[in-house]
Amino acid sequence: MQRLFSLGLAALGVVAALLLAPTLATAAETDAVAIVRAVPEYHLGSGDKVRVITFGEEALTGEFSIGGSGMVSLPLIGEVRAAGLSVSQFQSQVETKLKEGYLKEPRVSVEVLNYRPFYILGEVEKPGTYPYTNGLTVLNAVATAQGFTYRANTKRVFIKRADGKGEEEFPLTTGTQVAPGDTIRVGERFF
C-alpha cells in the first residue's frame, strides 16, 4: 500500500512538473523579451539622404540631403525642416508647403535612401564608422567591424542612441537591434 502511495506521489510530481514547465519557460521568455532593445520609429537627421517624389510634377522630384541645420532645400518651396521628424511627418510637411499656393492637391512620397551611419568601438577588430542598413543587429555590426578581439565580452554590449543621453547595457544576442546614428561599444571581459 505504501509503495502504491509513493508511486502515486511520484506520478503526481511528474504531472505537476509537466504542467508547470510551459509556465516557467514562458516566464523566462518574458524576461528575455523585456531586455531586448526596442528601436523606435526612425526620425530623420542631418546626414540622411531622401528621395522626394511629387506625383505628376517631375521638376519637384529628386534626391536631397539633410544638411547640418536639419533642413532640406526643395525646389519651389525652399527650406523645409526634416531633422527630428518621421518620414510620414516630413512627407505631410512637404505636402502642406506645396498646398500653400503652388499645387491644389499634391501627392508626395518620401523614402530614405541613405541612413546616418552607426559607430562601433571597443573590443572589435576594426572600430569605426559604417553605413547603416535596415534590420541591422549588434552581431551584424560586429561582423562589419571584422569581428571581436580575443578580449571582447561577448555577453553584453553598450549602446548610445544618437538622441540619447548615455549608454544603455543590453545582452549581446542575435535580436539586439541597432538604429541609425547609434554608437555601439563592445566591452572587455575580465577573464
Side-chain angles (χ1 to χ4, degrees):
M1 181 76 168
Q2 189 165 357
R3 183 178 163 134
L4 283 176
F5 181 72
S6 297
L7 286 174
L9 278 178
L12 184 60
V14 170
V15 169
L18 291 174
L19 290 175
L20 289 177
T23 307
L24 295 175
T26 304
E29 290 169 5
T30 304
D31 289 343
V33 170
I35 298 172
V36 172
R37 180 172 192 237
V39 176
E41 180 182 16
Y42 183 69
H43 287 84
L44 299 168
S46 62
D48 288 341
K49 188 172 185 177
V50 294
R51 176 181 293 134
V52 178
I53 301 169
T54 307
F55 297 102
E57 300 292 333
E58 292 299 318
L60 303 177
T61 297
E63 296 177 3
F64 306 94
S65 293
I66 300 172
S69 64
M71 305 292 275
V72 176
S73 183
L74 298 173
L76 196 59
I77 58 176
E79 297 282 314
V80 178
R81 172 153 300 283
L85 300 177
S86 68
V87 173
S88 60
Q89 290 170 329
F90 177 64
Q91 181 175 308
S92 296
Q93 190 167 356
V94 171
E95 285 178 350
T96 301
K97 293 258 188 192
L98 286 171
K99 283 181 187 176
E100 296 173 354
Y102 300 108
L103 299 174
K104 286 186 180 183
E105 288 193 39
R107 291 179 301 166
V108 176
S109 175
V110 175
E111 65 179 316
V112 180
L113 297 176
N114 291 339
Y115 293 93
R116 292 184 298 279
F118 71 92
Y119 309 92
I120 188 165
L121 49 99
E123 297 300 323
V124 291
E125 292 293 334
K126 301 268 186 187
T129 304
Y130 294 96
Y132 177 82
T133 56
N134 273 331
L136 186 71
T137 65
V138 171
L139 286 178
N140 298 136
V142 169
T144 302
Q146 310 265 322
F148 295 109
T149 65
Y150 70 93
R151 293 183 305 246
N153 181 345
T154 59
K155 303 279 187 225
R156 61 191 173 114
V157 65
F158 300 91
I159 301 175
K160 181 186 179 303
R161 288 193 40 205
D163 57 355
K165 299 278 188 240
E167 288 183 337
E168 292 181 62
E169 183 178 343
F170 296 96
L172 207 157
T173 65
T174 57
T176 307
Q177 295 288 308
V178 175
D182 279 357
T183 301
I184 303 162
R185 182 173 62 86
V186 177
E188 185 176 2
R189 65 182 160 82
F190 293 111
F191 297 102

